[in-house]
Amino acid sequence: MRTKLSQFKFELNDKLIARTPSKRRDDSRLMVVNRATGEIEHKQFSDLLEYYSEGDTLVFNNTKVFPARLYGLKEKTQARIEVFLLRELNSQARLWDVLVDPARKIRVGNKLYFNDKRGNNRLVAEVVDNTTSRGRTIRFLYDGPNDEFTKELHGLGNTPLPKLLEREADSRDAERYQTVFASEVGAVAAPAAGLHFSRETLMRMELAGVKKAEVTLHLGLGTFRDIEVEDLSKHKMDAEYYRIEQPAVDTVNATKKDGGLVCAVGTTSLRALENSVSAERLLATSEGWTNKFIFPPYDFHIPDHLLTNFHLPKSSLFITTCAFGGIDLILEAYAQAQKEKYKFFAYGDAMLIV
């Protein structure tokens, strides 16, 4: 039987979308969903480590969000154009895949000028191709070394806060829309489940003997793009870069061998793990681009638990959560979440599925 998009529809009260981060990272609430019993508990995020003991492992996505939203001025008309950097295509040629808004004003051959806050021109880009209705390929016209170019680009960019939050990014987002363990630059959106972890929580983990493994998956906008097909087997995810190295492999496989629990922190960590399963159903090193889309029914190999945020209806993130927790149980959990006024989306509360 085919899995249909309409199975993942629910009505979400927009007032429950968290527009700003909590005062402290680990101030959020934690819903705990037990797959075996169907029990749903209401906790605080600070209670998370009650579910883990020495020898268990939490797997984090160490991707780092870069300031991907730029504003340029179109030559001649001086129209203000938003340029959202998706991914670098060629570092030597300074070629990037981007989204532009408003797209109707931007054609191949147009030049865009990017100024600093004082109005001084810092970069110029030329549109060299159309990719989708809003997508363009642009070439930055810059002759200096790569490190100087990257510095200029990041200096002009803004934190790529989701449009759904309906506000401009401010100074607190530069810190809070980034995990404390972020190290590998390349994401245009934050791995939201990891945002709950403070340095104090990580220290408590270490003192309790709970291990930490890191994988990398650079989130692109494809993770959040609307699914437009009813038959989920026909949905194609945009490819995202991922990497799993030997230290994570050794930690996770030792945990599984010793009978410990492995918790994937976020659906991106989950996808990276499930993309790297060996013939022995253990984790293996790998690197490349993945468009893996996990939807029910799915047989998970690596993680025993999933920590995730509360997602939007019919999103790939929600569908993957249902694949792990079961459609009916997760829909019931989301109904309770709305009744209990849990906060949704990137700055919202957390759910632990055990």
Side-chain angles (χ1 to χ4, degrees):
M1 188 171 121
R2 291 179 177 173
T3 309
K4 297 180 178 179
L5 180 63
S6 52
Q7 294 174 255
F8 304 92
K9 180 181 179 182
F10 63 90
E11 297 300 322
L12 174 61
N13 180 353
D14 286 352
K15 292 180 180 178
L16 295 179
I17 294 173
R19 311 285 175 185
T20 57
S22 56
K23 188 174 181 181
R24 296 182 304 177
R25 288 181 183 270
D26 42 17
D27 276 348
S28 54
R29 298 166 72 189
L30 177 69
M31 175 183 283
V32 182
V33 179
N34 190 306
R35 291 178 291 173
T37 66
E39 182 182 9
I40 297 173
E41 298 179 280
H42 305 287
K43 302 277 190 173
Q44 294 297 126
F45 189 78
S46 55
D47 299 323
L48 176 71
L49 294 183
E50 293 178 7
Y51 295 87
Y52 300 98
S53 56
E54 186 172 357
D56 294 336
T57 295
L58 271 60
V59 182
F60 296 88
N61 184 1
N62 63 13
T63 189
K64 189 171 187 176
V65 179
F66 67 94
R69 182 171 281 124
L70 282 72
Y71 295 96
L73 297 177
K74 184 182 174 184
E75 61 178 335
K76 296 180 182 177
T77 67
Q78 298 296 294
R80 188 174 188 254
I81 306 296
E82 178 186 300
V83 176
F84 195 101
L85 303 173
L86 292 178
R87 66 182 182 188
E88 188 176 42
L89 298 175
N90 186 309
S91 60
Q92 298 304 314
R94 315 273 194 237
L95 286 174
W96 281 77
D97 260 346
V98 304
L99 295 177
V100 293
D101 188 23
R104 67 183 184 280
K105 295 185 177 182
I106 301 301
R107 295 185 173 89
V108 173
N110 289 158
K111 284 191 172 70
L112 295 168
Y113 294 83
F114 299 91
N115 300 335
D116 61 21
K117 292 178 181 178
R118 295 180 180 179
N120 301 313
N121 180 246
R122 306 300 301 186
L123 288 176
V124 180
E126 181 181 10
V127 181
V128 297
D129 197 9
N130 297 322
T131 54
T132 62
S133 58
R134 287 183 55 213
R136 302 290 186 272
T137 299
I138 65 174
R139 175 187 287 113
F140 286 97
L141 309 177
Y142 189 85
D143 294 330
N146 274 342
D147 57 344
E148 288 183 10
F149 171 68
T150 300
K151 186 177 180 181
E152 290 283 1
L153 204 60
H154 286 197
L156 291 166
N158 298 272
T159 301
L161 211 60
K163 288 284 184 76
L164 186 64
L165 301 192
E166 299 177 332
R167 65 177 180 85
E168 292 288 327
D170 56 35
S171 57
R172 64 189 156 172
D173 297 306
E175 178 198 357
R176 293 298 301 277
Y177 196 62
Q178 193 85 267
T179 65
V180 298
F181 45 81
S183 60
E184 302 297 318
V185 177
V188 301
L195 296 177
H196 300 284
F197 286 84
S198 65
R199 289 184 172 83
E200 291 75 17
T201 301
L202 295 176
M203 182 66 73
R204 286 174 52 217
M205 268 180 59
E206 186 177 344
L207 291 172
V210 178
K211 295 179 285 186
K212 176 172 175 273
E214 294 188 3
V215 300
T216 303
L217 188 144
H218 293 323
L219 285 82
L221 286 185
T223 296
F224 306 94
R225 185 164 288 148
D226 289 343
I227 297 174
E228 297 176 341
V229 292
E230 177 67 1
D231 180 354
L232 293 186
S233 67
K234 290 182 167 57
H235 176 62
K236 303 300 181 189
M237 292 276 285
D238 289 358
E240 296 166 316
Y241 173 82
Y242 81 101
R243 183 174 67 249
I244 294 183
E245 297 180 335
Q246 197 63 48
V249 169
D250 293 343
T251 299
V252 168
N253 288 344
T255 299
K256 296 193 77 67
K257 181 181 177 182
D258 295 339
L261 296 170
V262 174
C263 175
V265 177
T267 56
T268 56
S269 295
L270 182 83
R271 285 171 50 219
L273 291 172
E274 288 298 305
N275 206 71
S276 307
V277 179
S278 70
E280 296 76 28
R281 296 173 67 93
L282 293 171
L283 190 61
T285 57
S286 61
E287 178 181 12
W289 294 82
T290 177
N291 61 356
K292 190 178 186 68
F293 176 36
I294 297 177
F295 60 91
Y298 184 88
D299 180 22
F300 288 89
H301 302 86
I302 305 296
D304 304 291
H305 293 176
L306 170 64
L307 178 73
T308 187
N309 274 34
F310 289 93
H311 306 295
L312 303 182
K314 299 199 292 186
S315 65
S316 68
L317 303 166
F318 178 61
I319 291 167
T320 297
T321 301
C322 288
F324 193 84
I327 299 173
D328 292 341
L329 181 57
I330 298 303
L331 283 171
E332 168 59 24
Y334 269 54
Q336 284 201 31
Q338 294 204 70
K339 184 179 178 181
E340 298 293 331
K341 301 292 191 289
Y342 278 76
K343 293 295 186 179
F344 280 63
F345 210 50
Y347 279 146
D349 294 312
M351 169 189 281
L352 176 65
I353 306 172
V354 302

